[in-house]
Amino acid sequence: GENVEQHPSTLSVQEGDSAVIKCTYSDSASNYFPWYKQELGKGPQLIIDIRSNVGEKKDQRIAVTLNKTAKHFSLHITETQPEDSAVYFCAASKGDKIIFGKGTRLHILP
Amino acid sequence: DAGVIQSPRHEVTEMGQEVTLRCKPISGHNSLFWYRQTMMRGLELLIYFNNNVPIDDSGMPEDRFSAKMPNASFSTLKIQPSEPRDSAVYFCASSTDGTGLNTGELFFGEGSRLTVL
């Protein structure tokens, strides 16, 4: 089955700097790659997703890139703000179930 | 519009007791997923249903775990007997699509935090 690896597990960046989280997946049939943000005490929420027919997608300060050949994808957050502090999960799917990475705890330092 | 509703939010029980977690998905969603979250293993998919039918239960840890979806608006996850290693946050999520290329956004509930002593 699909296996999603996510790095780093913890990331601290200065407010205003950029943060990058990287993921790899194992199943070449996967074609949908969402990213979820989880705030303390809440369930994860979708923040951005990308499908295998595109290589990059942007939404304001966040962007995702996908390299199908290498089977890896990344989340980029620019101009980080305190409210970006949370746990971020990458995930992969080939159309049925969604398999998540183990998460990255992002700390934004003042 | 109400989101996914889970109950109880917190449960503390003793080893050997039966635990039942409940979920009401968003109205109109046809797929329902149960995930377990721990520090060590992250978010693990336990089981998912499409149109009330269990599609994949390969993530269910062992026979002590069972899940049902008797109708489109209700699902349960039962652990009997419970063990300390079952302590985790259990999330229910629903989606409008569970198959094909139209993989839909998962809407998560706020989770049920289970502690087994």
Side-chain angles (χ1 to χ4, degrees), chain A residues 31 36 38 95-98, chain B residues 35 37 56 98-101 106:
Chain A
N31 53 24
Y36 283 75
Q38 184 180 28
D96 48 6
K97 55 191 178 183
I98 295 180
Chain B
Y35 285 88
Q37 184 176 26
D56 186 338
T99 60
L101 290 176
L106 291 181

Side-chain angles (χ1 to χ4, degrees), chain A residues 66-84:
Chain A
L66 171 65
N67 183 326
K68 283 185 63 181
T69 304
K71 290 192 280 191
H72 66 71
F73 55 116
S74 302
L75 175 72
H76 303 251
I77 306 174
T78 58
E79 300 171 19
T80 53
Q81 299 171 4
E83 54 265 35
D84 296 330

Side-chain angles (χ1 to χ4, degrees), chain B residues 24-88:
Chain B
K24 178 177 166 45
I26 293 173
S27 177
H29 283 192
N30 63 342
S31 292
L32 183 140
F33 304 77
W34 282 100
Y35 285 88
R36 176 172 69 176
Q37 184 176 26
T38 60
M39 288 292 292
M40 291 297 295
R41 301 171 74 93
L43 267 172
E44 298 175 276
L45 177 64
L46 301 178
I47 185 171
Y48 79 96
F49 296 83
N50 187 249
N51 294 322
N52 313 338
V53 176
I55 302 300
D56 186 338
D57 65 355
S58 59
M60 295 285 260
E62 48 198 273
D63 292 345
R64 297 184 297 106
F65 285 68
S66 62
K68 293 182 180 178
M69 191 164 186
N71 56 64
S73 59
F74 184 66
S75 177
T76 59
L77 178 68
K78 187 174 291 188
I79 308 172
Q80 165 65 16
S82 57
E83 295 183 4
R85 61 193 165 120
D86 302 330
S87 297

Side-chain angles (χ1 to χ4, degrees), chain A residues 22-37:
Chain A
K22 299 183 178 182
C23 291
T24 60
Y25 62 100
S26 61
D27 191 340
S28 55
S30 288
N31 53 24
Y32 175 64
F33 306 92
W35 287 85
Y36 283 75
K37 176 183 180 182

Side-chain angles (χ1 to χ4, degrees), chain A residues 47-48 57-64 75-78:
Chain A
I47 54 171
I48 194 168
K57 183 176 178 180
K58 285 185 81 170
D59 183 4
Q60 299 182 7
R61 295 186 299 107
I62 58 174
V64 291
L75 175 72
H76 303 251
I77 306 174
T78 58

